[in-house]
Amino acid sequence: MSTGHPFGRALCAMITPFSPSGTLDLDRAGELAAHLVAEGCDGLVLNGTTGESPTTTDAEKAELVRAVRAAVGPGPSLLTGVGTADTRHTAELAREAEKAGADGLLVVTPYYSRPPQAAVEAHFLKVADATELPVMVYDIPGRTGTRVQPATMRRLAGHPRIVAVKDCSYDFLASARLIAETGLAYYSGAEELNLPLYAVGGAGYVSTVANVVPRQLRAVLDAFDAGDTAGAALLHARTMPLAELMMASGLPGTVTAKALLGGPVREPLQPADRETVDGLRSALEALLQAESVV
């Protein structure tokens, strides 16, 4: 049985704006957050990899949550990434996020150390026990080196505060089975799977590309919910050239999103070169032009 859409359907993994000098730009963060909500995002995920969490301080993470909450009010879901390779530090970040006003926690599998499944399970359970906030498990083995195996995910689903998954496992069969067998709400973390996962009972998506085209991505889910599966497929296909350039060009999504929206990245990331920026802009313009054709 599914828990439905505990954080809404259309979630944006929001970039973290910085000033030209590299400091946190809270005014710009609030403006962007309000824009994304106005354009159809049910919720925002702050302090994820797209939000450059590896290079923001604990204090900056909490400041960002408070500023965005003030900008968007109590309506939209506000999740924040707290995942680290250190269980104790992750639990500390979770408690600070709760104090700052987050509605939920995005917790990635501990990375680099590649813990065995028993340790992965213990990590998530300890973080879930650290606060009263619901948890979205972030399964992205291509980045962390460790997958949350299906058997582990089934056990985690028994915890009352582990309610959702950001799915970047690229194992569609396993994800479909887990959607059917557990109460976990599965959110696509890969734009090309937004519609396919939704069609088999997924809850929605957590998208980096939504920083740039939030309304267009939401339209895919709206069409599907209205029973227009052919229309949903067409709208989904229209977003794919831009999504591919943003997410599969060899550059982090943070870099490509900021290439279109403006603003610096923090080192070790570097801004996109002119050729990449021109290609991204061409893909965005093509999507907007296709959208205007009835």
Side-chain angles (χ1 to χ4, degrees):
M1 295 177 61
S2 172
T3 57
H5 316 279
F7 305 110
R9 299 175 305 150
L11 277 65
C12 177
M14 198 179 97
I15 62 169
T16 299
F18 300 120
S19 71
S21 64
T23 59
L24 196 63
D25 189 340
L26 295 177
D27 289 339
R28 175 69 180 122
E31 292 169 0
L32 176 59
H35 165 75
L36 292 171
V37 169
E39 286 290 292
C41 292
D42 299 319
L44 304 172
V45 179
L46 308 175
N47 297 314
T49 308
T50 300
E52 299 180 69
S53 59
T55 54
T56 57
T57 67
D58 293 0
E60 286 176 325
K61 289 176 173 64
E63 287 179 55
L64 184 64
V65 173
R66 287 191 289 267
V68 170
R69 173 56 76 205
V72 301
S77 296
L78 201 59
L79 285 81
T80 184
V82 298
T84 74
D86 175 355
T87 302
R88 182 173 58 181
H89 187 199
T90 302
E92 290 171 357
L93 286 174
R95 287 187 283 268
E96 291 304 311
E98 186 174 40
K99 294 175 186 176
D103 296 310
L105 307 172
L106 178 69
V107 185
V108 73
T109 313
Y111 41 83
Y112 191 77
S113 57
R114 303 184 71 174
Q117 289 298 297
V120 169
E121 182 178 353
H123 173 83
F124 283 112
L125 293 176
K126 287 180 181 178
V127 177
D129 284 339
T131 77
E132 295 300 315
L133 295 178
V135 169
M136 179 184 287
V137 172
Y138 189 4
D139 188 17
I140 183 167
R143 291 284 188 95
T144 65
T146 304
R147 184 177 177 187
V148 184
Q149 293 292 343
T152 304
M153 199 72 83
R154 289 186 183 93
R155 291 192 295 272
L156 290 175
H159 193 287
R161 284 187 294 281
I162 296 178
V163 301
V165 177
K166 181 181 178 183
D167 183 23
C168 290
S169 67
Y170 284 96
D171 186 345
F172 190 81
L173 177 58
S175 298
R177 284 176 171 169
L178 287 164
I179 289 169
E181 296 169 4
T182 74
L184 295 171
Y186 261 67
Y187 289 84
S188 171
E191 276 77 8
E192 67 270 29
L193 295 178
N194 286 359
L195 180 58
L197 194 68
Y198 197 65
V200 297
Y205 56 75
V206 177
S207 170
T208 295
V209 177
N211 282 281
V212 180
V213 285
R215 178 171 47 81
Q216 290 83 352
L217 291 180
R218 184 191 177 105
V220 176
L221 305 189
D222 289 343
F224 186 86
D225 283 347
D228 183 8
T229 55
L234 174 61
L235 293 171
H236 177 74
R238 284 179 175 174
T239 67
M240 285 301 97
L242 176 63
E244 184 174 10
L245 279 181
M246 288 187 65
M247 304 305 295
S249 64
L251 291 174
T254 306
V255 172
T256 56
K258 286 190 171 181
L260 290 168
L261 297 177
V265 293
R266 279 187 177 171
E267 291 181 327
L269 297 181
Q270 296 289 329
D273 60 30
R274 174 50 54 188
E275 181 179 359
T276 299
V277 174
D278 289 345
L280 288 164
R281 287 177 176 168
S282 294
L284 176 58
E285 289 171 5
L287 172 57
L288 297 178
Q289 288 174 0
E291 185 184 26
S292 67
V293 176
V294 179

